Amino acid sequence: MDTENLRSFLEVATHGSFTVAASRLNLAQSTVSARIRGLEEQLGRRLFVRDRDGVTLTPAGRQFLPHASSITRTWEQSRQDIAVPDGYETLLRLTAPAYLWDRITSPWVEWMRARRPNVALRLEGSFPDLAIDQLAEGLLDICILYLPRPHPGIVYETLAVDQVVLVQHAAQTKPWTENYILMDWGLEFRIEHDRAFAGMVKPAISAGLVFIGLQHVLSQHAAAYLPLSAVSTHIERGEMRRIDNAPVFQRPIYLAYPSNPVSSDVLDVALTGLRTLARDWAEGQGFSEGDRSLGMTGRM
């Protein structure tokens, strides 16, 4: 059975649309339709009912859904297991924001090489929602992210707290409010932001990813609330400046990992390293242990 057909089936079942499934898979809709037809021919059952309201699973499709998910997950896990480099016992996969490389990820690599030299490491970057899905499917071992999404079998803990500061491109001489991109750090931030800037006209541009906000500020000479860890180098270079007297927010950075890992010993060592490095980083920023558990709150 072709696992690509199974992927198409799962996407259509999840989104109730051949069009959306084709977009997510970067395929033509006709290709997705052909894959579903091929799968239905193999199984001898119709899997979907198509009508003007969308696409729904037939009883046979609902029965097949958990099997398709299990087969796909097992196949991907097998591919990952086979990908362990020669001379190493296992592979540990971590995804984290790129701007945390100097402060956490790179030191963590040294930590792991010193304590588990027989473990190969794979470092990835990913969208948070995709990373959580990959974590749940066994395609990742550890994820560092800002916005956790509850998922069975995944443990979340606060790893550190980052300062979120208002910055403006150094070449911008106009008030920061005239070219401002609103970063969406979740409901708590929006409430605190609206409270701090009551009456402010809603910006025309908003974003949910640090990378997008950072690049917009740099390329468009704009202003935004961004994590200090992401902008400190640009401030030191004189490319950005902090806005005086602007509220400083705190944003938790979360650590996510499976509740029942394949190799608990290796994961324990990896998590201990991340916690240790995050604690050192927090102390360097002047946070106490109590500060590290705070949510998104405003500070003057």
Side-chain angles (χ1 to χ4, degrees), residues 31-221:
T31 301
V32 174
S33 297
R35 288 180 174 181
I36 299 302
R37 284 196 301 271
L39 192 56
E40 290 176 329
E41 290 174 1
Q42 284 183 298
L43 296 171
R45 295 286 189 278
R46 288 189 64 189
L47 300 175
F48 294 103
V49 175
R50 303 163 179 81
D51 55 39
R52 60 185 179 183
D53 294 326
V55 180
T56 58
L57 288 166
T58 64
R62 288 194 295 273
Q63 287 184 318
F64 182 61
L65 183 60
H67 299 290
S69 179
S70 177
I71 292 170
T72 303
R73 185 166 54 251
T74 300
W75 172 251
E76 289 297 336
Q77 185 62 55
S78 298
R79 290 180 59 196
Q80 293 289 337
D81 290 343
I82 294 174
V84 176
D86 293 339
Y88 293 90
E89 293 183 3
T90 188
L91 175 68
L92 190 71
R93 298 148 299 187
L94 174 142
T95 182
Y99 51 84
L100 292 179
W101 174 262
D102 290 339
R103 293 164 178 79
I104 292 181
T105 312
S106 180
W108 175 78
V109 170
E110 295 182 19
W111 171 284
M112 290 299 298
R113 300 308 303 138
R115 290 162 178 79
R116 288 293 186 273
N118 60 335
V119 175
L121 304 176
R122 181 177 178 85
L123 309 176
E124 300 181 357
S126 181
F127 291 102
D129 283 347
L130 178 58
I132 294 303
D133 290 338
Q134 291 176 329
L135 195 64
E137 294 169 3
L139 304 179
L140 279 175
D141 300 293
I142 303 173
C143 179
I144 299 175
L145 72 168
Y146 280 109
L147 295 176
R149 172 165 58 88
H151 198 294
I154 295 180
V155 177
Y156 291 99
E157 65 177 74
T158 302
L159 179 65
V161 175
D162 204 355
Q163 295 185 59
V164 181
V165 299
L166 180 57
V167 295
Q168 182 182 38
H169 194 281
Q172 177 58 270
T173 58
K174 297 180 180 179
W176 64 268
T177 52
E178 293 190 17
N179 190 8
Y180 178 63
I181 178 172
L182 178 62
M183 300 303 298
D184 187 359
W185 301 134
L187 179 60
E188 290 184 38
F189 173 76
R190 291 196 296 271
I191 293 174
E192 293 292 340
H193 183 278
D194 291 345
R195 183 180 299 155
F197 302 104
M200 179 181 180
V201 177
K202 186 176 181 180
I205 303 174
S206 61
L209 294 176
V210 173
F211 174 79
I212 294 176
L214 181 61
Q215 294 305 311
H216 183 81
V217 171
L218 291 172
S219 64
Q220 301 301 316
H221 293 187

Side-chain angles (χ1 to χ4, degrees), residues 233-271:
T233 300
H234 298 284
I235 294 174
E236 293 169 2
R237 292 174 181 169
E239 298 169 340
M240 295 182 185
R241 60 174 174 269
R242 290 180 61 172
I243 302 300
D244 294 336
N245 301 319
V248 175
F249 300 97
Q250 290 184 30
R251 190 180 187 207
I253 302 174
Y254 293 94
L255 187 62
Y257 51 91
S259 56
N260 294 305
V262 175
S263 177
S264 59
D265 173 65
V266 172
L267 186 64
D268 285 345
V269 173
L271 294 176

